[in-house]
Amino acid sequence: MENRNGWIVGLSLVLLAAQGAAQPAQPGQESGAALPVDSRPAGQARAVGAEPSPSAPWADGTSLSIPLSKFAAGTGPLMLRDSEATRDIYFPVSSRLDVSGLALDLALVNSIALVPGRSVISVRLNEATLSQLRLDPEQPILRAAIDLPPELLRPGFNKLSLHVTQHYTDIHCENPVAPELWTEVDTSKSRLRLAGSLKTGDLSLARLADIFGPGIGGASRVVIELPDAAGADASHLQAAQLLAQGIALHRDYEPVTFGVTAFGDRASQPDDSLRFPGADRAVIGTVDELRGMVPGDALDRVTGPHLALLAAPDAPGRVMLVVTGRTAEELPLAATAVSMLDPGVADSPEMTVRDIRALDSTLPIGSRRYLSPGRRYTFADFGFRSTSLRGSDADPVQLTIQMPPDLYGVDNAAVTLDLDLAYGPAMGPGSVLNVFVNDVFHQGIHFDVDTGQRFDDYQVPIPLSMFAPGENVIRFETQMRPQEVDDECADALDRYLVATLFDTSSITLPDAGFVAGQPDLKRFVRTGFPYYKPYRGSGARVIVADPSLLGAGLTLLGKLAQVSGGLLGGIQVEVPTTSAAPVAGSVILLAPVDRLPQNLFAHVDYGLGELQRIPYRVLGGRLGAAGDAAEGAFWRTWHSVVGPEPEPASEPTQDDAPRRKTGVMAQESDLGGNAVVTAIQSPDGTAATVTVITAADAATLRSAVDAMIQPAVWRNISGDMAVWRKGEDEVTSLAVADSFQIGEGGGTLELRYAVSRSPWLWIALAAVVIILLVLVTRALLRRRYARRSARGT
Amino acid sequence: MPVAVIALWWGLSLCLLALAVVPSDGDAQAIFSIISVGALLGLRRAAGHRGDDTARLLTLLLGVFISVRYLLWRLFFTLDSPHLLDLVLASVLFAAEAYALLVHLIGVFVNICPLDRGRPPARALTPETAPTVDVLVPSYDEDAALLEVTLRAAKMMRYPEGRKTVYLLDDGGTAAKRSDRDPKKRAAADDRSIVLRQLCARLGVRYLTRPRNEHAKAGNINSALARTSGELVVVLDADHVATVDFLEWTVPWFAADDKLFLVQTPHHMVNEDPVDRNMLDSFSRMPTENEMFYLTIQRGLDYWESAFFCGSAAVLRRAHLERIGGLSGLSITEDAETAMRLHAAGFRSVYVDRPLVAGLAPESFDAFITQRTRWSQGMTQILLLLNPLRMAGLRWYQRLSYLSACTFWLFPFPRLIFLFAPLAYLLFDLEIYDATPYEMLVYTAPHIISSFVIMSVLYNRTRWPLISEIYEVIQSVYTFQALLQVFRNPRKPSFITTPKGHVVEIEHVSPLAPAYYIIFVLIVLGLCGGLFQFYIDPAHRAYTAIVLFWNLFNLVVILGAMGVLLERPQRRTAPRLRFRGDGLLIQGDLQIPCAIENLSVSGVGVRVDGDLASVDRAAPLYLRTDVPALGRPETFRVAVAGNGVPGRDGYLGLRAEPVDEAGRNALVALMFGSSDRWQEMIHRRTRPMPFFRAVRLVLMRCLGACREHLAYLVRRGVRTFRRRGPAGSPANA
């Protein structure tokens, strides 16, 4: 049971495996032995500086061999305990992929106490049992290759189930939870092998979500073509970034890398077509600009903002998405429509967009993903359905919610769960339902009534501080035990144990405001904050110092759209013609280190540029233990007296606290293979954040951004400066910049936040006022005393 | 300068209030709390020293800042509940806290700078210049023996001959009483009237009575005022025995200020009140309950020109009193009401911080409750009917001072709320304090500490920790009902004389005990419920532990109350007090030196350093000793008490047997005549006590007294059982 949590899909329709496991190809992929081998499949998990692939993946048949561990968030082997157990593994397959071969290489170790005739492991794919293997105590180490019929696969997530029945005796009744009943599947050595090619056929905008959707064989790389990438006007750039975000949103949780190329004079233009040969293409331009570029007569039917989905002429199975209009001003509207086509109702390859209007004009698209302070939501609002948990080994259920990244409440602010819950009769000792928040146990409910019980609105208050910005998982885990009886075999009967969590249960957020400390890269990578603020929209300039970095900029924006959960319409991409363009306000800057503005770091202790002032730390010095309890929060603040402040107690704690600087070294050196992302307060002193992503040169920076959006790097970025290296997953994060705050909760809340982060000024002020008041009071009292004494009465 | 300074003061105060409102999270508050509480504790010792008013003010202001910040936090962040009942109860608890803090803050204001008057202005009291003084001793049902001592002492007050007249104002012998329809009452009134008239004739005191008992004590005095003419009026309760220098300490103040209407002196009690006798048992070691008021608060009020009349041991100027028609009778605390009216009329008062009378505290618990009920009802009547905040003529600081005096008596409301509030959570799982344990630690704990520190600084020598809590809880149950009566009809309460001079002869449980038994059971149930909750609900253990601790505190206080309810018998009919003096036992030529150890109006305790074998039991025995009040030695006729055999340490009890008026006067002068003696007595027991030591002592006494109470109940139960026999036994048949 130990690793169960990491392997189970909850009924909230949000799958744990989706958190980074479902990458069709990650570093470490191996070629399958029995299937045709192509060593460069989908290939998007390149490390920094990876060379472009010379061939088009999936174009002519490709195979992958992926360890099962890649589909799970948890680490370590997969344990199957007790007399009967099932573990499900979900893997996504793109609907574009025509799978020709599928096999499972299974590596496991079973207990030597098992009875061979009755102990079996079954392999199921989408509920169909395909293979059964004996668990032999004489040969406890088992390697098996199991062919799976590809026709059982379906687009989207597929369920691979490993089911065991295990016995240690066939004579007497046995203890179903006896410790010798176990089988351990090695998920690193167990692999899923898959071969196939991209489908060709009729293209329809109704399938856009499938084409760009997640899964093995999906569009992990897209080249966006512009008529003039280097000197593109605002409309073209706006259309490009909206298109990139739209595709990334279809891609859901999987990273997608964008390249940019020009179909005009390529001599002075960026050209990523060589980096991404055979990738899907998206062409942006007015009808006039696209003449000669787009095959067929699609352009003849353009009467406004227009989308067309065509087969890519030079890459079988790949698509060309045309975003066009009669004028440049019509292009952003057409590009915006890309993110809307889910589901695509118009079953045709072309459409003209007349208008896009949000039903609630006060909310930007995507806002509803985030919970709003002071509101109540039923579990059904999150897609949760009433679920009955059965048996002693019931899988947990979970609820995934999105917290606004800058939600800030008072200390005792609590998120309240009102659970509608029932459990059946005859629960034995130790039967409980435990509530976990982000894998941290919070509260248990004891099933202690023999006749069963139903709760309506069973309140479980959870401190707001237990929630992190962005995604949070509330997991409900049951431990149900049969009643103790004398009969030895009675324990085996645990199927009557049942508990139901109803979808009428609700979650209520406390009243809170929006204030957050900056800079904070952790918040940035989890939610896109401060460039995207739920319920308030987005706003920032993305400045790419070099046209060749335009693709990297779009890649980053696509990732931000994914993490923020909506289209960031308020963001503008700029390619300045001079390096002296001012960097101020809310900005994301991508530039090689030698192109960074001279005065960018003038107001902070460190700096990047020709002369670098690099913060360093004492080895092993960490800013505080991860996940400290609330009682420890004070000591973290106390430590902050001599260094940068960590998050206030009411803010979520981070698992990977950044390291604290202890000094700064000025040096002349090259960044080499390192890439750096750092966030600082805007040089103009406003409460805005400038995020700088830089590397030694443009090529390294491009590769660095490709690597940065991969989960291994992205999720480990924190603090206000992070460094990662080519080909390595490790990220070094530091807290080096002076903090400031961004708030929209009104003066009181912002004041509270400021005082909470640094109470010293307030304490000093109070001390001064008290002392002055004492002196004045003393003077007045003495004067009166003297008068009373002198008068006699 | 004053206007600018006052403006600056207001500006700084508003700044400080704004800083108190500044919100922060728990960590920032924790840092502030550690620093501020550390500063408070560091300053506390210096603040307790007289003369270091900077440290004192710093401590007070810092403590006020902590408490105000706490209350604002409670207001803005802890009154949130989705359940109506929780919210209502939480609001009630908050209101109680707000009231308590308001009284606390006004208390800080009143006592911020107590006035030390020192000796009166040097004015020679000659027969020509001394104002005429009428000494009025109102009486209702007090014993003649008690009155005799009071009247003798009043007669012995030093004052120019012919300028002082002593009156007994007998309300127990009014025409109405002597014609009562009840023959027994009528006869008793007649007897009393005759006895007291004879007593007055013997002592040279004028006897006054009136037709009807209208307006109780105030009416009695007003009636006397109409029939007397002294420029100054001294009011002495029937049990208030004045020292010989009473008028020397008080009258000269009137010559110094024509606007002066009152000189008030402390009520110095020479016996234990029931709380002290039944539970604390520390009369000579710990400041008595009323010494906080008379040694600290009245001085603070005096600083703000608000020292008020306490009904006795005071001198009033007749002219000013008559300006407002004599003593006011709207409320049943006519003394404070009269003072407030005179202050509003622009007249002034002086408080002389020197014990010049010796009085008797109520002996029994129900008498104690009767007295406090009258005070609480009367002061609440003043608040409701006269409202010092709106009364014309009072200065702003006098309004606050009287508000302090009146609002204090509403303490039963918060006390009972604090008593029952933990039970709402422990027994009914109602959450009426919406805060995390961490917040309680960083907000509530500093507030409690600061309250104790402020109390310690303000009442450094006159009140030990936890004593106020015990006294207030003990009174709350019954005064609460009395207060409700006042709120329903402010004019309804009537004057009830506090029974005094009575003797508790046998050990018994007060008839008021059942209400406390119920509270005790509820608190114990809460304790059990809390422990059960602590066991079954691990998620809220910290919260439960805090509430349990609160409940435990209440349990200790109620245990103390239980201890008070067991009335211990008094060993002597008259209070016997420690005395230091040398004496000589004389019988004929025989002279035996002795040391006088204690003294009462009925006897003397001596330690004999010699052989008593040669003393003839049948022959008269005399004790000769110095009488400081008279400034000369006196010889008293005594008799050996008991079997006449000294104890192993030479202690011998002597019974006083004065044979003439001079002897009786000398005995009263020896016992009550010297204010130096009372001063020394107070000085001996008003001393600062380390907090934890005081708490330990009080806790031990609470537990010990409660244990004795329970043991008594068991003994009584066993006795009853033995007397009646077991059920079904022949004895029971």
Side-chain angles (χ1 to χ4, degrees):
Chain A
M1 299 293 289
E2 286 80 1
N3 293 316
R4 186 175 64 176
N5 300 342
W7 296 94
I8 303 160
V9 175
L11 296 181
S12 63
L13 306 184
V14 177
L15 307 177
L16 286 174
Q19 290 302 309
Q23 307 304 321
Q26 294 285 346
Q29 287 174 345
E30 294 178 10
S31 302
L35 296 168
V37 173
D38 184 331
S39 62
R40 203 171 296 280
Q44 64 272 49
R46 301 279 165 220
V48 175
E51 291 301 314
S53 167
S55 62
W58 300 112
D60 52 357
T62 305
S63 74
L64 288 177
S65 174
I66 309 169
L68 292 187
S69 60
K70 293 296 179 186
F71 299 113
T75 57
L78 183 66
M79 289 299 292
L80 295 149
R81 294 186 187 277
D82 305 338
S83 61
E84 188 174 7
T86 303
R87 295 292 176 265
D88 299 325
I89 299 167
Y90 290 82
F91 62 95
V93 176
S94 169
S95 64
R96 302 173 69 182
L97 192 62
D98 186 3
V99 179
S100 56
L102 183 65
L104 174 68
D105 292 336
L106 195 60
L108 59 84
V109 180
N110 58 259
S111 164
I112 59 171
L114 299 182
V115 174
R118 299 179 61 194
S119 301
V120 175
I121 182 167
S122 307
V123 177
R124 296 173 184 163
L125 179 61
N126 291 334
E127 309 298 348
T129 304
L130 302 174
S131 178
Q132 297 183 60
L133 303 170
R134 289 182 191 283
L135 298 172
D136 188 350
E138 301 295 327
Q139 294 180 317
I141 300 174
L142 176 66
R143 300 292 291 265
I146 303 161
D147 287 331
L148 305 174
E151 56 272 22
L152 285 179
L153 290 178
R154 56 196 178 207
F157 281 99
N158 292 268
K159 183 164 81 172
L160 179 69
S161 304
L162 301 175
H163 175 83
V164 291
T165 54
Q166 305 173 122
H167 300 278
Y168 61 82
T169 177
D170 52 8
I171 300 172
H172 301 290
C173 294
E174 65 181 359
N175 178 1
V177 294
E180 55 266 50
L181 297 176
W182 61 268
T183 296
E184 184 179 297
V185 177
D186 186 333
T187 54
S188 298
K189 292 177 180 170
S190 298
R191 309 181 77 85
L192 193 67
R193 287 183 290 125
L194 188 145
S197 60
L198 292 176
K199 294 174 184 173
T200 57
D202 292 340
L203 292 173
S204 164
L205 287 171
R207 289 189 56 228
L208 200 64
D210 293 334
I211 290 169
F212 291 113
I216 301 168
S220 59
R221 293 179 166 192
V222 176
V223 173
I224 294 177
E225 299 183 26
L226 295 165
D228 179 5
D233 64 9
S235 296
H236 284 78
L237 288 175
Q238 183 72 356
Q241 64 107 342
L242 290 170
L243 177 62
Q245 290 184 48
I247 291 172
L249 288 171
H250 284 303
R251 193 79 181 138
D252 203 357
Y253 50 85
E254 288 193 14
V256 54
T257 309
F258 292 96
V260 171
T261 187
F263 48 80
D265 175 12
R266 297 192 176 195
S268 58
Q269 298 285 345
D271 186 359
D272 289 329
S273 58
L274 293 178
R275 292 178 68 215
F276 306 142
D280 291 303
R281 294 166 62 193
V283 184
I284 298 173
T286 62
V287 171
D288 293 338
E289 290 165 342
L290 296 183
R291 296 283 178 207
M293 272 294 298
V294 177
D297 57 354
L299 295 179
D300 298 339
R301 290 183 289 277
V302 175
T303 57
H306 197 81
L307 290 178
L309 187 64
L310 309 173
D314 50 358
R318 295 294 175 188
V319 298
M320 171 191 277
L321 178 62
V322 179
V323 178
T324 186
R326 291 164 301 179
T327 63
E329 287 70 32
E330 290 179 344
L331 298 179
L333 189 60
T336 301
V338 172
S339 66
M340 309 283 174
L341 294 172
D342 183 20
V345 176
D347 191 12
S348 69
E350 296 178 33
M351 65 178 285
T352 300
V353 183
R354 293 301 178 197
D355 184 28
I356 295 176
R357 181 166 54 89
L359 291 178
D360 184 346
S361 60
T362 62
L363 297 177
I365 297 162
S367 281
R368 289 205 185 280
R369 284 188 61 197
Y370 289 89
L371 306 192
S372 180
R375 283 195 57 186
R376 177 177 177 272
Y377 303 85
T378 64
F379 284 15
D381 292 339
F382 303 100
F384 184 94
R385 295 289 168 259
S386 297
T387 303
S388 292
L389 307 166
R390 297 175 188 279
S392 58
D393 190 29
D395 289 340
V397 294
Q398 64 187 38
L399 184 76
T400 301
I401 57 173
Q402 300 287 336
M403 283 291 186
D406 51 349
L407 192 68
Y408 179 68
V410 297
D411 283 7
N412 60 348
V415 173
T416 305
L417 299 180
D418 290 294
L419 299 183
D420 295 341
L421 176 73
Y423 63 88
M427 290 282 175
S431 298
V432 294
L433 181 141
N434 289 326
V435 181
F436 293 78
V437 178
N438 296 329
D439 282 334
V440 176
F441 170 73
H442 171 64
Q443 187 173 332
I445 300 171
H446 192 190
F447 295 168
D448 57 351
V449 176
D450 285 347
T451 54
Q453 201 172 10
R454 181 188 164 101
F455 299 109
D456 287 321
D457 293 337
Y458 186 102
Q459 283 204 337
V460 180
I462 305 170
L464 186 60
S465 56
M466 287 189 75
F467 292 88
E471 186 174 286
N472 291 268
V473 177
I474 303 172
R475 195 172 74 248
F476 303 93
E477 193 176 294
T478 53
Q479 296 280 349
M480 294 185 281
R481 295 283 177 265
Q483 283 189 330
E484 289 176 345
V485 291
D486 294 336
D487 183 357
E488 186 186 357
C489 296
D491 270 359
L493 302 173
D494 70 344
R495 290 177 187 278
Y496 71 88
L497 301 172
V498 61
T500 300
L501 183 61
F502 296 96
D503 59 10
T504 51
S505 302
S506 64
I507 180 169
T508 307
L509 262 66
D511 289 325
F514 299 108
V515 185
Q518 286 290 293
D520 184 352
L521 289 173
K522 190 72 181 176
R523 211 182 293 266
F524 170 72
V525 298
R526 285 180 67 95
T527 62
F529 188 85
Y531 306 108
Y532 172 69
K533 300 170 185 169
Y535 298 99
R536 291 149 291 164
S538 56
R541 296 157 62 209
V542 176
I543 302 174
V544 291
D546 188 300
S548 68
L549 293 172
L550 196 51
L554 296 181
T555 299
L556 183 66
L557 275 176
K559 187 69 180 178
L560 288 181
Q562 287 181 332
V563 297
S564 60
L567 206 60
L568 310 180
I571 287 185
Q572 295 178 332
V573 177
E574 298 176 13
V575 186
T577 52
T578 64
S579 60
V583 177
S586 207
V587 169
I588 299 173
L589 173 64
L590 287 91
V593 70
D594 57 352
R595 299 278 302 277
L596 293 175
Q598 291 295 317
N599 62 348
L600 186 59
F601 295 96
H603 62 299
V604 292
D605 289 340
Y606 67 102
L608 299 170
E610 292 177 359
L611 177 64
Q612 293 162 12
R613 287 174 290 137
I614 304 296
Y616 64 88
R617 61 179 172 82
V618 174
L619 288 174
R622 290 184 67 83
L623 190 57
D628 281 355
E631 285 74 11
F634 161 71
W635 296 110
R636 295 204 305 278
T637 304
W638 186 258
H639 288 311
S640 75
V641 173
V642 292
E645 300 85 349
E647 295 301 318
S650 56
E651 291 209 330
T653 55
Q654 308 291 339
D655 287 341
D656 40 0
R659 289 159 183 176
R660 191 178 63 215
K661 67 176 176 181
T662 53
V664 175
M665 181 190 301
Q667 61 191 53
E668 291 182 17
S669 62
D670 191 359
L671 287 178
N674 282 339
V676 177
V677 56
T678 184
I680 55 174
Q681 186 172 8
S682 172
D684 63 2
T686 57
T689 306
V690 173
T691 301
V692 180
I693 304 170
T694 187
D697 53 53
T700 307
L701 185 53
R702 280 198 302 273
S703 302
V705 173
D706 291 353
M708 180 186 178
I709 64 165
Q710 303 305 322
V713 173
W714 186 260
R715 67 184 170 213
N716 287 323
I717 292 173
S718 62
D720 47 49
M721 175 184 256
V723 183
W724 68 101
R725 275 190 71 80
K726 174 183 179 180
E728 295 178 7
D729 287 347
E730 186 183 347
V731 178
T732 303
S733 294
L734 300 103
V736 293
D738 294 330
S739 60
F740 65 99
Q741 71 188 61
I742 295 177
E744 297 170 23
T748 306
L749 205 61
E750 290 186 52
L751 180 64
R752 176 190 173 85
Y753 189 90
V755 171
S756 299
R757 289 182 73 89
S758 181
W760 302 105
L761 177 64
W762 168 67
I763 291 173
L765 206 57
V768 169
V769 173
I770 287 174
I771 290 169
L772 289 175
L773 196 55
V774 163
L775 296 176
V776 175
T777 306
R778 190 184 65 173
L780 289 169
L781 290 175
R782 283 183 174 177
R783 184 168 168 273
R784 179 179 175 80
Y785 200 100
R787 205 171 60 226
R788 297 276 290 142
S789 301
R791 196 169 67 191
T793 58
Chain B
M1 177 255 184
V3 175
V5 174
I6 288 168
L8 178 62
W9 188 92
W10 275 107
L12 288 169
S13 297
L14 291 175
C15 281
L16 199 58
L17 183 63
L19 286 166
V21 180
V22 168
S24 73
D25 68 9
D27 291 347
Q29 175 65 20
I31 293 172
F32 164 73
S33 296
I34 288 176
I35 293 172
S36 55
V37 169
L40 270 186
L41 296 176
L43 285 166
R44 189 169 59 100
R45 188 175 294 272
H49 291 157
R50 287 191 174 184
D52 193 349
D53 54 351
T54 306
R56 177 185 168 87
L57 285 174
L58 206 50
T59 309
L60 294 179
L61 273 179
L62 184 56
V64 166
F65 183 71
I66 292 171
S67 293
V68 169
R69 180 167 173 75
Y70 162 77
L71 194 76
L72 292 168
W73 167 76
R74 287 276 287 124
L75 175 65
F76 292 126
F77 300 110
T78 66
L79 296 179
D80 186 23
S81 174
H83 305 295
L84 183 62
L85 184 59
D86 288 6
L87 192 61
V88 169
L89 293 178
S91 303
V92 168
L93 177 61
F94 173 75
E97 286 191 78
Y99 158 80
L101 185 62
L102 177 72
V103 171
H104 183 62
L105 294 182
I106 301 177
V108 170
F109 166 80
V110 166
N111 297 294
I112 199 164
C113 191
L115 195 59
D116 279 322
R117 287 281 182 184
R119 299 194 70 84
R123 295 280 194 281
L125 294 174
T126 65
E128 295 74 29
T129 60
T132 53
V133 174
D134 291 334
V135 181
L136 308 182
V137 182
S139 170
Y140 182 70
D141 56 0
E142 290 81 4
D143 190 65
L146 181 80
L147 285 167
E148 181 179 341
V149 176
T150 304
L151 294 172
R152 276 187 193 283
K155 286 289 288 181
M156 283 194 287
M157 289 190 293
R158 287 196 290 263
Y159 205 65
E161 191 63 34
R163 308 295 286 177
K164 177 188 74 177
T165 312
V166 180
Y167 295 88
L168 174 66
L169 316 180
D170 180 23
D171 246 15
T174 56
K177 290 272 183 188
R178 282 183 281 117
S179 56
D180 197 286
R181 289 180 182 177
D182 184 339
K184 285 185 181 174
K185 289 183 180 175
R186 194 165 60 234
D190 278 338
D191 290 347
R192 173 184 169 84
S193 177
I194 293 166
V195 169
L196 292 184
R197 282 174 195 274
Q198 290 171 347
L199 174 68
C200 289
R202 183 156 48 89
L203 299 179
V205 171
R206 295 192 186 181
Y207 176 89
L208 293 180
T209 187
R210 52 181 177 150
R212 289 178 299 277
N213 298 73
E214 290 172 332
H215 303 298
K217 181 180 173 183
N220 194 5
I221 294 174
N222 285 340
S223 170
L225 287 175
R227 296 154 67 188
T228 56
S229 59
E231 295 167 67
L232 301 179
V233 176
V234 176
V235 179
L236 292 173
D237 276 353
D239 59 310
H240 280 184
V241 186
T243 58
V244 294
D245 52 354
F246 181 93
L247 296 175
E248 293 167 353
W249 277 89
T250 52
V251 172
W253 291 101
F254 288 93
D257 185 0
D258 290 341
K259 300 280 276 184
L260 185 68
F261 77 91
L262 167 74
V263 175
Q264 177 68 52
T265 71
H267 292 187
H268 173 65
M269 302 304 172
V270 293
N271 64 333
E272 303 156 303
D273 68 30
V275 179
D276 202 345
R277 191 183 67 250
N278 297 339
M279 186 195 61
L280 297 172
D281 194 23
S282 55
F283 184 64
S284 60
R285 289 171 286 134
M286 190 178 83
T288 60
E289 191 229 2
N290 72 348
E291 278 168 355
M292 184 173 99
F293 176 74
Y294 285 111
L295 301 189
T296 303
I297 296 174
Q298 274 282 41
R299 287 170 50 222
L301 290 169
D302 195 21
Y303 178 83
W304 295 114
E305 299 176 37
S306 306
F308 59 80
F309 180 38
C310 298
S312 176
V315 187
L316 297 112
R317 194 191 293 271
R318 175 188 295 270
H320 297 336
L321 202 54
E322 287 175 345
R323 284 276 295 274
I324 61 162
L327 291 183
S328 309
L330 191 60
S331 71
I332 57 176
T333 44
E334 77 293 333
D335 37 19
E337 181 189 335
T338 302
M340 191 168 85
R341 288 183 189 277
L342 284 164
H343 276 131
F347 299 111
R348 289 191 280 268
S349 61
V350 159
Y351 177 71
V352 173
D353 178 23
R354 184 172 179 88
L356 298 169
V357 299
L360 292 176
E363 283 81 5
S364 65
F365 183 66
D366 43 347
F368 175 78
I369 291 294
T370 301
Q371 182 191 56
R372 300 312 163 97
T373 299
R374 178 167 70 82
W375 291 354
S376 64
Q377 284 189 320
M379 296 310 284
T380 307
Q381 281 181 305
I382 292 175
L383 181 67
L384 297 178
L385 298 174
L386 298 175
N387 192 352
L389 288 179
R390 298 176 61 182
M391 190 170 197
L394 288 178
R395 295 174 182 269
W396 66 269
Y397 42 82
Q398 289 173 320
R399 293 182 195 283
L400 281 178
S401 298
Y402 277 104
L403 187 69
S404 170
C406 294
T407 51
F408 167 80
W409 287 100
L410 300 177
F411 67 79
F413 294 108
R415 279 289 165 211
L416 291 179
I417 290 169
F418 295 154
L419 210 55
F420 292 118
L423 302 180
Y425 174 76
L426 297 175
L427 292 179
F428 305 107
D429 205 22
L430 299 171
E431 296 196 6
I432 59 173
Y433 200 110
D434 182 23
T436 64
Y438 184 56
E439 288 176 311
M440 290 183 188
L441 185 70
V442 300
Y443 280 99
T444 314
H447 162 63
I448 293 171
I449 293 170
S450 103
S451 301
F452 275 111
V453 170
I454 286 180
M455 287 284 287
S456 161
V457 168
L458 290 181
Y459 313 113
N460 180 20
R461 294 167 181 274
T462 54
R463 177 56 48 91
W464 284 11
L466 297 184
I467 297 298
S468 291
E469 284 76 9
I470 290 172
Y471 269 97
E472 288 182 10
V473 165
I474 286 168
Q475 297 172 58
S476 290
V477 175
Y478 288 97
T479 50
F480 171 76
Q481 299 169 20
L483 286 175
L484 286 183
Q485 189 186 31
V486 179
F487 277 100
R488 279 198 295 269
N489 185 353
R491 295 178 189 274
K492 186 174 181 182
S494 55
F495 191 97
I496 303 171
T497 309
T498 305
K500 291 202 180 157
H502 296 176
V503 177
V504 179
E505 293 174 341
I506 57 165
E507 188 178 45
H508 68 280
V509 173
S510 167
L512 304 181
Y516 298 91
Y517 289 156
I518 292 171
I519 295 173
F520 172 74
V521 169
L522 285 175
I523 291 178
V524 171
L525 282 177
L527 200 62
C528 298
L531 290 172
F532 180 69
Q533 208 159 338
F534 188 85
Y535 174 72
I536 64 161
D537 188 4
H540 296 95
R541 274 189 180 158
Y543 191 91
T544 307
I546 290 172
V547 183
L548 268 175
F549 182 77
W550 182 2
N551 196 57
L552 201 60
F553 174 82
N554 287 342
L555 181 65
V556 168
V557 174
I558 213 69
L559 288 179
M562 300 268 290
V564 176
L565 294 167
L566 179 65
E567 297 274 25
R568 314 297 166 91
Q570 286 173 258
R571 284 173 293 179
R572 295 184 177 87
T573 53
R576 177 160 295 201
L577 303 174
R578 199 161 72 162
F579 189 88
R580 289 273 176 254
D582 295 330
L584 202 60
L585 284 174
I586 302 170
Q587 193 173 56
D589 295 335
L590 182 66
Q591 293 191 348
I592 304 172
C594 64
I596 300 176
E597 298 260 306
N598 56 58
L599 199 61
S600 79
V601 287
S602 58
V604 183
V606 297
R607 196 172 301 283
V608 183
D609 188 19
D611 187 7
L612 289 177
S614 52
V615 173
D616 180 359
R617 309 285 182 204
L621 182 66
Y622 297 92
L623 172 67
R624 185 171 181 79
T625 184
D626 279 337
V627 180
L630 302 178
R632 62 174 185 266
E634 287 284 347
T635 302
F636 303 94
R637 169 89 179 259
V638 296
V640 177
N643 60 12
V645 179
R648 273 186 298 180
D649 53 356
Y651 182 83
L652 185 68
L654 301 175
R655 192 172 56 250
E657 292 182 342
V659 291
D660 56 12
E661 292 301 312
R664 291 188 184 94
N665 283 343
L667 192 59
V668 170
L670 179 65
M671 173 76 183
F672 297 105
S674 168
S675 61
D676 288 338
R677 185 164 168 236
W678 303 145
Q679 187 80 332
E680 186 214 330
M681 186 174 171
I682 291 172
H683 182 72
R684 201 166 51 236
R685 66 187 175 202
T686 52
R687 57 198 162 107
M689 172 64 78
F691 178 83
F692 289 107
R693 190 168 158 214
V695 167
R696 187 172 60 83
L697 284 173
V698 172
L699 286 181
M700 295 307 293
R701 282 312 306 154
C702 284
L703 296 175
C706 182
R707 191 180 63 238
E708 289 164 22
H709 186 140
L710 295 176
Y712 169 81
L713 291 179
V714 171
R715 283 199 307 275
R716 195 175 67 172
V718 169
R719 275 202 306 271
T720 307
F721 181 80
R722 283 179 179 164
R723 195 165 57 244
R724 292 181 181 173
S729 71
N732 206 34

